Amino acid sequence: MEKALAPRLIVSFFIIQCLVLSSVLVEGQGTWQMLQRNAGVSAMHTAVTRFDTAIMLDRTNIGPSQIRLPGKRCRKQPLERFSKIDCYAHSVMFNPANGAVRPLYVQTDTWCSSGQFMSNGVMVQTGGDFEGNKKIRTLAPCSARGTCDWVETAQELTRGRWYASNHILPGGNRQIVVGGRNEPSYEFVPKRRAGEGAFNLPLLRGSADNLYPFVFLLPNGDFFVFANRDSVILNIGSGRVVKKLPRIPGNPRNYPSAGSAAMLPIKAPHNSVEILVCGGAGYGASRNADKGKPGSFSCGRINPTAANANWAMENMPIRRVMGDMVNLPTGEILIINGAQYGYQGWGKASSPVLQPVTYDGDAKAGKRFQTQRASGVGRVYHSTANLLSDGRVLVAGSNTHQFYTYRGTLPTELRVEAFAPAYLSANLNDCRPRIMEVPAAIGYRQKFNVAFLARSRVGYVEVNILSAPFTTHSYSQGQRAIKLAATVPGKSRGFWVTRVTGPPSSSVAPQQYYMLFCLQNGVPSRANWVRVG
């Protein structure tokens, strides 16, 4: 009798463990892992590829990095203002699996530039400083063993773009490039027609704190554009601003005031979405060069397409300037990196915020934030955070100096870490699903199966897809998370199988590669890369 009951008791124990551990958030969760102590460059810009490698970029006019170009190759750039002959790399391909670093060659200055993956997985990277101001660069990603590298195209931007933001368009073969220093306009790469130029955007005129504007594609195909404290809905077909939204209360939010923004997950029926904007420098900090001014606690949340759209305000548990906001597979948003005082710039901030915070948009007001375990590495100006397909968050960069400086309280940071949220706890291994079958490509409104294994089958099942953004200066360009409609799973051929419906349109999920996660009771699988559209 005891032998017959034992397996059932064991299964019951695992089920109870999954239900309890995955439904209770505890302050100070998550773990940190050092992946590489010297990546060679400080990652001002980072993007994770569908091969699970990470492209990292810094400026070129920074002098020697800590990694040389291979084969005694040197960059000869007569327009370079620091090293006209430079034998050091300023971009690398990083492998999070083993910490391996491969130098990449970039010809013109990528300082404070922008980028986005196209539908075929190619990174298109635009603008920068000085000789790189109008340049367009591409990189077709490859596996960790590959030799892919940057290519500078013959085509250039219409206007110089420094501190601009990019976003892919529905269709997946074109992106919009918005703003930049002294450029209150937007343009398209590639152009929609021969001879097309740039288009004025009054939102970006005549005010500070409007660089790296927050740009999000809405489910109806229009764009939400936010700069300083104001935002509009832009229809790119007509070129018209179709709606001006209320001003967010409090402080400025864009560079150099350094707030951050993310879209909450787009949920079925996928016809509306909310934007979250958090933190930033205290009012007047950058204008008055007040690097000791406390940063902001405040977050605002808005549904831009609602009839009476307005900002709902709440406070984070920690004030934060230069935080990065990362969509997690659970639907939460991770707020990580940054400082408590000052604003963006060389030596303009202090008191690094070592503790990440998660934001659960589905929780009640007052219960949405949870403080996570602290890192031992302070990351402020020019730091990045990107989701990996295994559910961890890749954290890199931080350089608050004009050149690489390895002394002082905030030295140039070459170390790369991974933050593992609580859902990767070893105690939840029995709950974690393992994807066994999923299509490599998903069509719009297509029905498809996701088959998974789990030691304990318990709770609800979700299937969520997340994009791979280009992250720089506290903003992840092109970042989005979509919760797909999924049925209660049944058993088939030894697997659990849920029937899933693809996203409804390219405005909800532009044609791109996405990380597809299967979640059981809030515990995500490792993702499979799938192409949508």
Side-chain angles (χ1 to χ4, degrees), residues 268-301:
H270 304 110
N271 54 12
S272 69
V273 71
E274 291 182 276
I275 311 291
L276 183 69
V277 178
C278 290
Y283 192 84
S286 63
R287 185 171 50 207
N288 300 321
D290 186 355
K291 61 184 181 182
K293 195 173 187 69
S296 174
F297 285 101
S298 79
C299 287
R301 175 172 165 174

Short mmCIF file of all heavy atoms in Angstrom, two decimals, residues 268-301:
data_model
loop_
_atom_site.label_atom_id
_atom_site.label_comp_id
_atom_site.label_asym_id
_atom_site.label_seq_id
_atom_site.Cartn_x
_atom_site.Cartn_y
_atom_site.Cartn_z
N ALA A 268 -4.41 39.54 -25.96
CA ALA A 268 -5.62 39.33 -26.75
C ALA A 268 -6.75 40.17 -26.17
O ALA A 268 -6.88 40.25 -24.94
CB ALA A 268 -5.99 37.85 -26.76
N PRO A 269 -7.56 40.83 -27.00
CA PRO A 269 -7.63 40.73 -28.47
C PRO A 269 -6.63 41.58 -29.24
O PRO A 269 -6.83 41.86 -30.42
CB PRO A 269 -9.06 41.18 -28.75
CG PRO A 269 -9.36 42.17 -27.69
CD PRO A 269 -8.66 41.68 -26.47
N HIS A 270 -5.57 42.03 -28.57
CA HIS A 270 -4.44 42.69 -29.24
C HIS A 270 -4.82 43.99 -29.96
O HIS A 270 -4.27 44.30 -31.01
CB HIS A 270 -3.77 41.73 -30.23
CG HIS A 270 -3.30 40.45 -29.62
ND1 HIS A 270 -3.90 39.24 -29.89
CD2 HIS A 270 -2.31 40.19 -28.74
CE1 HIS A 270 -3.29 38.28 -29.21
NE2 HIS A 270 -2.32 38.82 -28.50
N ASN A 271 -5.75 44.74 -29.41
CA ASN A 271 -6.17 45.97 -30.08
C ASN A 271 -5.81 47.23 -29.30
O ASN A 271 -6.14 48.33 -29.74
CB ASN A 271 -7.67 45.95 -30.37
CG ASN A 271 -8.49 45.67 -29.12
OD1 ASN A 271 -7.97 45.70 -28.01
ND2 ASN A 271 -9.77 45.38 -29.30
N SER A 272 -5.17 47.09 -28.15
CA SER A 272 -4.70 48.26 -27.41
C SER A 272 -3.52 47.85 -26.55
O SER A 272 -3.27 46.65 -26.34
CB SER A 272 -5.82 48.87 -26.55
OG SER A 272 -6.14 47.99 -25.48
N VAL A 273 -2.81 48.84 -26.05
CA VAL A 273 -1.63 48.55 -25.23
C VAL A 273 -1.35 49.76 -24.35
O VAL A 273 -1.75 50.89 -24.66
CB VAL A 273 -0.41 48.23 -26.13
CG1 VAL A 273 0.10 49.48 -26.83
CG2 VAL A 273 0.71 47.59 -25.32
N GLU A 274 -0.65 49.52 -23.24
CA GLU A 274 -0.26 50.60 -22.35
C GLU A 274 1.24 50.80 -22.40
O GLU A 274 2.01 49.85 -22.59
CB GLU A 274 -0.71 50.31 -20.92
CG GLU A 274 -2.21 50.34 -20.73
CD GLU A 274 -2.61 50.09 -19.29
OE1 GLU A 274 -2.70 48.91 -18.92
OE2 GLU A 274 -2.81 51.07 -18.54
N ILE A 275 1.67 52.06 -22.23
CA ILE A 275 3.08 52.43 -22.20
C ILE A 275 3.43 52.82 -20.77
O ILE A 275 2.68 53.53 -20.10
CB ILE A 275 3.36 53.62 -23.14
CG1 ILE A 275 2.76 53.40 -24.53
CG2 ILE A 275 4.85 53.91 -23.18
CD1 ILE A 275 3.41 52.33 -25.34
N LEU A 276 4.61 52.37 -20.32
CA LEU A 276 5.10 52.70 -18.98
C LEU A 276 6.37 53.54 -19.13
O LEU A 276 7.31 53.14 -19.83
CB LEU A 276 5.40 51.41 -18.21
CG LEU A 276 5.86 51.56 -16.76
CD1 LEU A 276 4.73 52.09 -15.88
CD2 LEU A 276 6.38 50.22 -16.23
N VAL A 277 6.41 54.70 -18.48
CA VAL A 277 7.57 55.60 -18.49
C VAL A 277 7.98 55.83 -17.05
O VAL A 277 7.16 56.25 -16.23
CB VAL A 277 7.25 56.93 -19.19
CG1 VAL A 277 8.45 57.86 -19.15
CG2 VAL A 277 6.80 56.70 -20.63
N CYS A 278 9.26 55.56 -16.72
CA CYS A 278 9.70 55.59 -15.33
C CYS A 278 11.00 56.36 -15.14
O CYS A 278 11.89 56.32 -15.99
CB CYS A 278 9.91 54.18 -14.80
SG CYS A 278 8.40 53.22 -14.56
N GLY A 279 11.10 57.01 -13.98
CA GLY A 279 12.35 57.59 -13.51
C GLY A 279 12.81 58.80 -14.29
O GLY A 279 12.05 59.47 -14.98
N GLY A 280 14.10 59.08 -14.19
CA GLY A 280 14.70 60.21 -14.86
C GLY A 280 15.30 61.18 -13.87
O GLY A 280 15.15 61.05 -12.65
N ALA A 281 16.00 62.17 -14.41
CA ALA A 281 16.65 63.17 -13.56
C ALA A 281 15.62 64.11 -12.95
O ALA A 281 14.55 64.33 -13.52
CB ALA A 281 17.66 63.96 -14.39
N GLY A 282 15.96 64.68 -11.81
CA GLY A 282 15.10 65.66 -11.18
C GLY A 282 14.92 66.88 -12.08
O GLY A 282 15.79 67.21 -12.89
N TYR A 283 13.81 67.55 -11.94
CA TYR A 283 13.48 68.67 -12.81
C TYR A 283 14.58 69.74 -12.74
O TYR A 283 14.95 70.19 -11.67
CB TYR A 283 12.14 69.29 -12.41
CG TYR A 283 11.61 70.25 -13.43
CD1 TYR A 283 10.88 69.79 -14.53
CD2 TYR A 283 11.84 71.61 -13.32
CE1 TYR A 283 10.39 70.66 -15.48
CE2 TYR A 283 11.36 72.50 -14.26
CZ TYR A 283 10.64 72.02 -15.34
OH TYR A 283 10.16 72.89 -16.28
N GLY A 284 15.12 70.11 -13.90
CA GLY A 284 16.15 71.14 -13.98
C GLY A 284 17.57 70.65 -13.79
O GLY A 284 18.52 71.44 -13.88
N ALA A 285 17.77 69.35 -13.56
CA ALA A 285 19.11 68.84 -13.27
C ALA A 285 20.08 69.09 -14.42
O ALA A 285 21.16 69.66 -14.25
CB ALA A 285 19.05 67.36 -12.94
N SER A 286 19.71 68.68 -15.63
CA SER A 286 20.62 68.84 -16.76
C SER A 286 20.74 70.29 -17.19
O SER A 286 21.83 70.77 -17.54
CB SER A 286 20.16 67.97 -17.94
OG SER A 286 18.90 68.39 -18.40
N ARG A 287 19.65 71.03 -17.12
CA ARG A 287 19.66 72.44 -17.54
C ARG A 287 20.56 73.28 -16.64
O ARG A 287 21.25 74.20 -17.08
CB ARG A 287 18.24 72.98 -17.53
CG ARG A 287 18.10 74.41 -18.06
CD ARG A 287 16.65 74.78 -18.22
NE ARG A 287 15.88 74.47 -17.01
CZ ARG A 287 14.59 74.20 -17.01
NH1 ARG A 287 13.91 74.15 -18.15
NH2 ARG A 287 13.95 73.95 -15.88
N ASN A 288 20.59 72.94 -15.36
CA ASN A 288 21.39 73.69 -14.38
C ASN A 288 22.70 72.99 -14.02
O ASN A 288 23.39 73.42 -13.08
CB ASN A 288 20.58 73.91 -13.11
CG ASN A 288 19.30 74.69 -13.37
OD1 ASN A 288 19.29 75.62 -14.17
ND2 ASN A 288 18.22 74.28 -12.71
N ALA A 289 23.03 71.92 -14.76
CA ALA A 289 24.25 71.15 -14.49
C ALA A 289 24.36 70.76 -13.02
O ALA A 289 25.43 70.83 -12.41
CB ALA A 289 25.48 71.93 -14.94
N ASP A 290 23.22 70.32 -12.47
CA ASP A 290 23.15 69.94 -11.06
C ASP A 290 23.28 68.42 -10.94
O ASP A 290 22.29 67.69 -10.91
CB ASP A 290 21.82 70.42 -10.47
CG ASP A 290 21.73 70.19 -8.96
OD1 ASP A 290 22.66 69.57 -8.39
OD2 ASP A 290 20.73 70.61 -8.37
N LYS A 291 24.52 67.95 -10.84
CA LYS A 291 24.74 66.52 -10.82
C LYS A 291 24.44 65.90 -9.45
O LYS A 291 24.48 64.68 -9.30
CB LYS A 291 26.16 66.18 -11.26
CG LYS A 291 27.26 66.77 -10.40
CD LYS A 291 28.61 66.44 -11.03
CE LYS A 291 29.76 66.99 -10.18
NZ LYS A 291 31.07 66.70 -10.82
N GLY A 292 24.13 66.73 -8.47
CA GLY A 292 23.75 66.20 -7.16
C GLY A 292 22.26 66.17 -6.93
O GLY A 292 21.81 65.76 -5.85
N LYS A 293 21.48 66.53 -7.94
CA LYS A 293 20.03 66.56 -7.77
C LYS A 293 19.47 65.15 -7.72
O LYS A 293 19.80 64.31 -8.55
CB LYS A 293 19.39 67.34 -8.91
CG LYS A 293 17.94 67.74 -8.64
CD LYS A 293 17.41 68.65 -9.72
CE LYS A 293 16.03 69.20 -9.36
NZ LYS A 293 16.08 70.14 -8.23
N PRO A 294 18.60 64.85 -6.76
CA PRO A 294 18.03 63.49 -6.67
C PRO A 294 17.22 63.13 -7.90
O PRO A 294 16.51 63.96 -8.46
CB PRO A 294 17.14 63.56 -5.43
CG PRO A 294 17.64 64.72 -4.64
CD PRO A 294 18.14 65.71 -5.65
N GLY A 295 17.32 61.89 -8.31
CA GLY A 295 16.53 61.37 -9.41
C GLY A 295 15.08 61.17 -9.02
O GLY A 295 14.68 61.36 -7.86
N SER A 296 14.30 60.72 -9.98
CA SER A 296 12.85 60.62 -9.81
C SER A 296 12.44 59.21 -9.37
O SER A 296 13.01 58.21 -9.80
CB SER A 296 12.17 60.96 -11.13
OG SER A 296 10.78 60.73 -11.05
N PHE A 297 11.42 59.16 -8.51
CA PHE A 297 10.77 57.91 -8.15
C PHE A 297 9.63 57.56 -9.10
O PHE A 297 9.17 56.43 -9.13
CB PHE A 297 10.14 58.03 -6.75
CG PHE A 297 11.11 57.99 -5.61
CD1 PHE A 297 11.49 59.16 -4.97
CD2 PHE A 297 11.61 56.78 -5.15
CE1 PHE A 297 12.37 59.13 -3.90
CE2 PHE A 297 12.49 56.74 -4.08
CZ PHE A 297 12.88 57.92 -3.45
N SER A 298 9.13 58.53 -9.87
CA SER A 298 7.80 58.41 -10.46
C SER A 298 7.75 57.61 -11.74
O SER A 298 8.69 57.60 -12.55
CB SER A 298 7.19 59.79 -10.69
OG SER A 298 7.70 60.39 -11.85
N CYS A 299 6.63 56.92 -11.93
CA CYS A 299 6.31 56.20 -13.16
C CYS A 299 4.93 56.67 -13.63
O CYS A 299 4.02 56.87 -12.82
CB CYS A 299 6.23 54.69 -12.93
SG CYS A 299 7.80 53.88 -12.69
N GLY A 300 4.78 56.79 -14.95
CA GLY A 300 3.48 57.07 -15.52
C GLY A 300 3.09 55.98 -16.50
O GLY A 300 3.94 55.41 -17.18
N ARG A 301 1.80 55.69 -16.55
CA ARG A 301 1.28 54.61 -17.39
C ARG A 301 0.08 55.14 -18.16
O ARG A 301 -0.80 55.79 -17.58
CB ARG A 301 0.90 53.44 -16.49
CG ARG A 301 0.25 52.26 -17.14
CD ARG A 301 0.15 51.15 -16.11
NE ARG A 301 -0.76 50.09 -16.50
CZ ARG A 301 -0.93 48.96 -15.82
NH1 ARG A 301 -0.26 48.75 -14.72
NH2 ARG A 301 -1.78 48.04 -16.24
#
